[in-house]
Amino acid sequence: MSTENLPQSPDQPQRKPRVAVVFGGRSSEHGISMVTAGAVLRAIDRTKYDVLPIGITQSGRWVLTADEPERMAITERRTPNVEQLAETGEGGVVLPVDPANREVVYTEPGSVPKALGEIDVVFPVLHGPYGEDGTLQGLLELSGVPYVGSGVLASAVGQDKEYMKRVFLSFGLKVGPYVVIRPREWEQDESAARKKIIDLAGDHGWPLFVKPARAGSSIGITKVEDLSGLDDAIAEAQRHDPKILVEAALRGREIECGVLEFEDGPRASVPAEIPPPDAHAYYDFEAKYIDSTPGIVPAPLTPEETADVQRLAVDAFEAASCEGLVRADFFLTEDGEFVINEINTMPGFTPISMYPQMWQASGIGYADLVDRLIEAALRRSTGLR
């Protein structure tokens, strides 16, 4: 499906495709999703597309919001939230689960539902669970509405760091040492679960990184230097996800690479390097989004290293059956080997985020990147493909 061939009735002029930008959500990355949405709303070509901003509150209610991207920015080191932009405190947006009907409906208690018109494509800029993890993608598949980014399986794999690593290993990609602590393990025998982590440190040394298994934006991650900090790190990770992942530290350089889907298949951007942030123990949430620690684009790699990481980034995209876009994160170890850390199926997408910066350096500016992603979504059908 292309923007030139949208269905029109004989007596109607050709209309512009309508893009619903969906943002916010129930995860701890709600605020970062808002910042991303503001950047996307600013960049969408309004001469080419009609736009409908839809926010999801932290309680899960879908609401109409003001189309005011300037209010979706980090101010005074605080991230915004959907409730600040919701047009009413009680109304909600409903997307019918019917492939024959793409009409969005607005409802308020005690009032007749109002039809808001059809949408042609959804640009979901949600990060984390309940949005980036395949849940929203499943709803859109049931509704028959095309959307930007990966499908249900790839989104779920890209969100769950355990199964992401398992998929990568099965495709021959190298990952670092790690252990997983499931909630039942922790509930039934804390001592045995803790011993798994201590054994990892015994085999590979300190520090360790304790993470929520299904979160992003470096939220809930703690760098643990020794045994004394382990319990607090576990508690912090479990605040965001009952399943946690613990990784051994890899000595090397942090290298990222963007992948974008073109009509002839996925291609990799120039890579970037994330230097160790001066004021932070590692590249954590504040280093990324509050202090905006700059990356080096393009990364100072040899031509051979650049080609290797670009190939591996596309391999990771294909291994997880991704679509649309991915940011692949690697370590270049001291022995010259690339080890994949993770992929993000909806990476940070503000103009200062690494994914757009890498494509800017590759010759595709931010607005063009947004347009290409929408066009790619319109070309795809929903359902099995």
Side-chain angles (χ1 to χ4, degrees):
M1 178 177 175
S2 70
T3 58
E4 288 77 23
N5 295 308
L6 290 165
Q8 309 292 328
S9 63
D11 56 347
Q12 286 182 331
Q14 185 167 355
R15 65 176 178 84
K16 294 182 288 187
R18 198 170 195 211
V19 182
V21 179
V22 181
F23 53 90
R26 294 165 56 190
S27 83
S28 53
E29 297 175 77
H30 178 101
I32 295 305
S33 172
M34 293 280 294
V35 176
T36 296
V40 170
L41 286 169
R42 278 191 292 270
I44 292 178
D45 184 352
R46 304 306 178 98
T47 68
K48 186 174 180 180
Y49 303 107
D50 286 327
V51 178
L52 180 68
I54 298 175
I56 301 177
T57 69
Q58 288 173 309
S59 65
R61 184 166 62 99
W62 291 43
V63 299
L64 287 179
T65 70
D67 188 2
E68 299 176 6
E70 65 278 2
R71 294 173 60 192
M72 301 182 187
I74 294 173
T75 54
E76 298 181 349
R77 303 178 72 86
R78 294 183 179 179
T79 56
N81 64 70
V82 164
E83 285 82 353
Q84 296 169 340
L85 274 80
E87 292 193 345
T88 71
E90 296 182 341
V93 174
V94 178
L95 181 66
V97 185
D98 179 358
N101 177 15
R102 295 182 180 175
E103 190 163 66
V104 176
V105 175
Y106 179 74
T107 64
E108 283 187 325
S111 299
V112 176
K114 301 175 184 176
L116 301 177
E118 291 191 347
I119 55 175
D120 299 296
V121 64
V122 169
F123 200 133
V125 290
L126 296 120
H127 302 304
Y130 312 109
E132 189 184 350
D133 60 348
T135 50
L136 177 64
Q137 290 75 15
L139 172 64
L140 296 173
E141 291 286 349
L142 290 172
S143 301
V145 179
Y147 52 92
V148 170
S150 290
V152 175
L153 173 65
S155 297
V157 168
Q159 188 64 48
D160 191 311
K161 294 178 175 63
E162 176 193 1
Y163 287 98
M164 182 195 310
K165 291 177 187 292
R166 291 181 181 273
V167 167
F168 290 156
L169 283 168
S170 73
F171 277 82
L173 294 166
K174 187 173 179 59
V175 305
Y178 72 96
V179 295
V180 175
I181 306 297
R182 302 174 186 278
R184 189 175 299 166
E185 287 181 82
W186 188 254
E187 292 163 6
Q188 292 180 348
D189 194 339
E190 281 188 23
S191 296
R194 194 178 287 105
K195 184 178 184 300
K196 282 175 62 175
I197 301 173
I198 295 170
D199 288 346
L200 179 70
D203 291 338
H204 301 283
W206 300 91
L208 300 177
F209 287 88
V210 180
K211 305 179 175 184
R214 295 162 292 193
S217 298
S218 297
I219 291 173
I221 298 177
T222 305
K223 182 180 182 180
V224 182
E225 299 288 355
D226 55 43
L227 190 58
S228 65
L230 184 57
D231 284 354
D232 286 346
I234 292 170
E236 173 60 17
Q238 288 175 333
R239 263 194 340 113
H240 301 276
D241 188 343
K243 182 169 81 166
I244 67 171
L245 184 94
V246 184
E247 296 173 334
L250 292 174
R251 275 71 179 178
R253 299 159 61 188
E254 291 191 49
I255 305 295
E256 298 184 349
C257 192
V259 181
L260 178 64
E261 181 183 3
F262 289 75
E263 289 191 57
D264 60 351
R267 302 180 200 169
S269 69
V270 300
E273 180 168 4
I274 307 300
D278 294 334
H280 302 269
Y282 63 98
Y283 194 46
D284 61 7
F285 177 87
E286 291 209 352
K288 287 180 180 178
Y289 297 108
I290 305 300
D291 296 328
S292 301
T293 301
I296 302 169
V297 187
L301 300 171
T302 68
E304 293 77 16
E305 289 169 337
T306 296
D308 281 349
V309 75
Q310 289 175 322
R311 173 182 56 80
L312 290 168
V314 172
D315 286 349
F317 183 98
E318 298 282 37
S321 298
C322 296
E323 294 169 291
L325 72 163
V326 150
R327 193 194 72 232
D329 301 344
F330 297 85
F331 288 99
L332 177 56
T333 63
E334 293 171 349
D335 61 3
E337 185 173 37
F338 283 104
V339 177
I340 189 164
N341 184 39
E342 64 180 37
I343 58 171
N344 280 265
T345 55
M346 184 51 69
F349 209 83
T350 70
I352 65 167
S353 298
M354 294 313 302
Y355 183 85
Q357 283 194 55
M358 289 186 286
W359 281 108
Q360 178 76 48
S362 304
I364 299 177
Y366 190 88
D368 189 12
L369 186 59
V370 168
D371 191 69
R372 286 171 182 265
L373 288 167
I374 294 171
E375 288 284 0
L378 286 165
R379 286 194 301 269
R380 288 197 304 267
S381 62
T382 54
L384 298 177
R385 52 190 183 275

